[in-house]
Amino acid sequence: MLPLQDRTESHIGCPHFQAETSLSRTEIYKTGEQESAKRSHPLLHNKVIKLKATSTWSRAACFRSLSATENLVSNASKIDFDIKNVSEHSSATPRTPKSSNATPKTFSPSVPTVSSRAQRRPWSPSFSLAVRILLLMRVTGAMYSNIDDCDEVYNFWEPLHFLDRGYGFQTWEVAPQFAIRSWAYILLHLFPARLAALLLGTDKRPTFFATRIFLAVICVLTEARFYRTVAEKMNERVGRYLFFMLLFSAGMWNASVGSLLALILCDVRDFIRIFVCTGSPSNANNRRTLMATLAFATGAIVGWPFALALAIPFVFEELFVFGKDVVPPTIKTSWLAYRWKRMIAAGFAATLIIVPAVGIDSLAYGKLTFAQWNIIRYNIFGGSQRGPDLYGTAPWDFYLLNLVLNFNVLVPLALLAVPALGVTYIVDRKRLGIIKPGPNQSSPFTILTIRLLPFYIWFGILTSQAHKEERFMFPAYPLLCFNAAVTLYLVRGWQEVLFISLTNSPYRASQSSLFRNFTFSVLVASSILSLSRIFALWEYYHAPMSVIYAFEVEEIPRLLNVTGLLPMRPPNLRDDELPRIDLAPIKDFNLQLCVSKEWYRFPGHYLVPDGVNVGFVKSAFDGMLPRHFETKTSKTAPHSASWWLRPETRYNPTDLNDLNKEDPSHYVSIQDCDYLVDLDFPKHPISSSLEPRYAVDPAWERVSCTPFLDARYSPLLSRTLWMPGQTWHELNEFGDYCLLKNKRRIASKEIEMKRS
């Protein structure tokens, strides 16, 4: 497919100009000349014979172009119906054969020239600059974004912590009798965790954030490659729109460091880059088929198998769409057979990725295990007693509302991508190229429609499921941005067509800032709303991580200090020169940190110092909570193997089930807790026998409390977005997210440690 074109750009379809318009270059210049003459000499202008529409030079160029086009049509291997790059100028910018400053032979000095501003190409950052800009945003997200999903903690961070440190929480999903989570995926993250410990020391907090930064860097590289491929192979404007949508969206802020699906998201982005932007299928290009299949199979086999649904349009295109090939009826059968053979061969090659994944999981679980099949079997073929619905359901509009929160105005643009393409086919057909496909060729509109379908498929499949979680939509986030960028470009094209039809002046269109201002306004509005949402997430919901941080850097040093276990401050040292506090003596306190109804906001053992035990206190929740992994000091896993890092992963616990049924052995008594993390709403208190207000209990003392939004009594707009100023803040209601101290137990331990 020829490039996505700007309607008002130079030359009417000469391929060597890589642009097209309804009028030739000379017509644009001479239209400007006529308008200038009208303004300067209206009487003289009426006596002047109108200039011809096309100069001898321009006509000859087009004849050469048409001849070249006929040759291309006759040669199937040279027809490219892909979305190629346009070396675009600003809207309605004429180009010259040699340079942007050269003057055509028919150009007169008296004719008004297009300003240098209009002659500049649309700004789009290079790959290296895009990486640097994206890196600033993603590393900031790694350091300051929340953990919004308890599955990320208990099914990613806790197993990783167990591999790294030898203890942590175990869910039923990673028990050998169920084995629906892949240890191969967890193992991929052990390298950055160990590298961080080697470079930054043994403290766990730096390891946690270093691992998140590692994920951010990987995703930045794939995002930048995705953006640059769109800009180079499709259209610079579409690429630029995509870049800013990816950069500022609140959804990408969360998903790029959301560890449970972050690498899968990156892998999907690479698949999208190969599928969407590197060409249409062709019998002469086997590499595209193989690389796209391998990229997506890796994410599905190592990560999440349901992401394969995104590959449906790709498979359909590979099997049935002509793409670059010109297929006469006489060879259609053999052409189709070759396509099927190639797709099957690529799929077979991709299945080889199963071998290392199954090998690692079999080592971890102590038996032959294909975790991806297990998760499919449980979620689809589990029967009425099992399945994802046990863990909660949501209404049909859950994902729609969630996407609006994270992408605001981009959501309707993404959903309207295919309808917008249909409108463009009617009102601006040359937008996707001037070559009219024959009956044996693929239309560029067909190719682009297939590129836009994956987002619709993913959105439709997830919406139809009763069990819904925000992270399930993560793989489609880049697709949403891509669809929105294409729609924005097509809408801009409608405006150009309408402007020219109303004014009958391509020259005036070339000088108008209307189109640029429109797209700029959409991107700025989306970016501001996204940044406001990002700040809201930090301001309203970051308390769980802030409280755990206060526990490590304030309360534990205080304990060590009052008991004489904190080293004396070295003299003559500034605060920034002081060595890090060694928290290792805290293990002698045998501290018990507890969580009750806030179990699902616990950020994980990586943010809790070594030597502190974490346990659950019974709350109103009656489902299955995690247990602690077996350790070397307790039961020994059967069939231990010294060549697997943690043989305890082979132990079959009897206190876990896949029916979401509660096991009382996973709880500790509230009387055994030294510290407790709890949420209290003083203005609108909620309490019960299982969830009393510990924060106002005289037995407990507040160590550190941080405001946490009370969404029940906060207006929709002010709880969704953050704005500066006290007035906006006061519209919301807040509770106290607190670290509480058991006064009697802590006082007793302080006395005991002083004596010892």
Side-chain angles (χ1 to χ4, degrees), residues 21 23 46 67 74 88 110 113 121 232 286 317 384 396 460 529 620 627 640 691 736 743 745:
T21 182
L23 297 179
N46 294 333
S67 299
S74 64
E88 293 181 295
S110 62
T113 61
R121 298 172 61 180
E232 293 169 2
N286 296 329
E317 181 187 63
S384 58
W396 70 270
L529 290 173
R627 67 188 295 274
S640 298
E691 296 180 354
D736 296 327
K743 292 189 288 187
R745 287 181 60 86

Side-chain angles (χ1 to χ4, degrees), residues 672-710:
D672 296 331
C673 297
D674 298 302
Y675 293 92
L676 175 69
V677 175
D678 198 37
L679 175 61
D680 184 61
F681 295 106
K683 294 184 178 180
H684 308 282
I686 301 175
S687 64
S688 65
S689 59
L690 292 176
E691 296 180 354
R693 295 183 63 197
Y694 295 108
V696 296
D697 190 329
W700 296 89
E701 177 184 334
R702 297 188 177 206
V703 174
S704 176
C705 291
T706 303
F708 190 89
L709 183 76
D710 188 349

Side-chain angles (χ1 to χ4, degrees), residues 722-740:
W722 175 90
M723 293 294 174
Q726 191 64 24
T727 302
W728 184 271
H729 183 82
E730 291 175 350
L731 294 174
N732 294 324
E733 295 286 348
F734 290 87
D736 296 327
Y737 204 94
C738 295
L739 173 67
L740 306 175

Side-chain angles (χ1 to χ4, degrees), residues 541-691:
Y541 301 106
H542 198 70
M545 299 183 75
S546 299
V547 165
I548 292 295
Y549 177 73
F551 177 61
E552 179 176 352
V553 302
E554 295 176 8
E555 178 60 15
I556 290 182
R558 185 200 66 82
L559 270 180
L560 296 177
N561 186 43
V562 299
T563 55
L565 297 177
L566 193 67
M568 295 294 295
R569 176 182 176 125
N572 303 323
L573 287 181
R574 300 192 307 269
D575 290 343
D576 59 345
E577 295 177 339
L578 291 175
R580 293 184 61 87
I581 298 176
D582 182 13
L583 302 181
I586 202 65
K587 65 180 182 295
D588 297 330
F589 285 78
N590 193 27
L591 294 177
Q592 179 74 54
L593 174 66
C594 297
V595 290
S596 181
K597 63 177 181 289
E598 290 301 303
W599 63 268
Y600 61 96
R601 293 193 180 104
F602 173 62
H605 274 92
Y606 265 114
L607 300 181
V608 178
D610 284 327
V612 177
N613 303 311
V614 181
F616 299 114
V617 173
K618 173 62 180 171
S619 65
F621 177 73
D622 59 357
M624 169 65 65
L625 286 177
R627 67 188 295 274
H628 288 278
F629 275 103
E630 295 298 320
T631 64
K632 292 181 179 179
T633 57
S634 58
K635 303 174 184 177
T636 302
H639 310 293
S640 298
S642 58
W643 22 267
W644 174 243
L645 186 62
R646 302 290 179 187
E648 295 82 7
T649 59
R650 299 180 168 199
Y651 175 74
N652 287 298
T654 59
D655 53 348
L656 291 175
N657 63 79
D658 61 349
L659 301 175
N660 198 24
K661 291 184 177 180
E662 181 180 42
D663 192 299
S665 65
H666 295 180
Y667 297 117
V668 298
S669 172
I670 188 63
Q671 283 75 30
D672 296 331
C673 297
D674 298 302
Y675 293 92
L676 175 69
V677 175
D678 198 37
L679 175 61
D680 184 61
F681 295 106
K683 294 184 178 180
H684 308 282
I686 301 175
S687 64
S688 65
S689 59
L690 292 176
E691 296 180 354

Side-chain angles (χ1 to χ4, degrees), residues 1-5 79-85 233-234 276 280 323-324 421 431-433 435 442-449 451:
M1 184 167 59
L2 287 179
L4 284 179
Q5 310 287 358
I79 295 180
D80 186 358
F81 283 110
D82 289 320
I83 306 170
K84 296 166 62 180
N85 175 50
K233 301 295 184 180
M234 184 175 181
V276 173
S280 295
K324 297 179 183 179
L421 188 61
R431 178 68 50 174
L432 267 64
I435 296 179
S442 296
S443 166
F445 286 88
T446 300
I447 299 296
L448 185 53
T449 299
R451 302 293 198 271

Side-chain angles (χ1 to χ4, degrees), residues 514-531:
L514 174 66
F515 320 122
R516 182 183 69 250
N517 290 342
F518 166 72
T519 55
F520 179 77
S521 299
V522 172
L523 292 175
V524 169
S526 174
S527 300
I528 291 175
L529 290 173
S530 292
L531 290 174

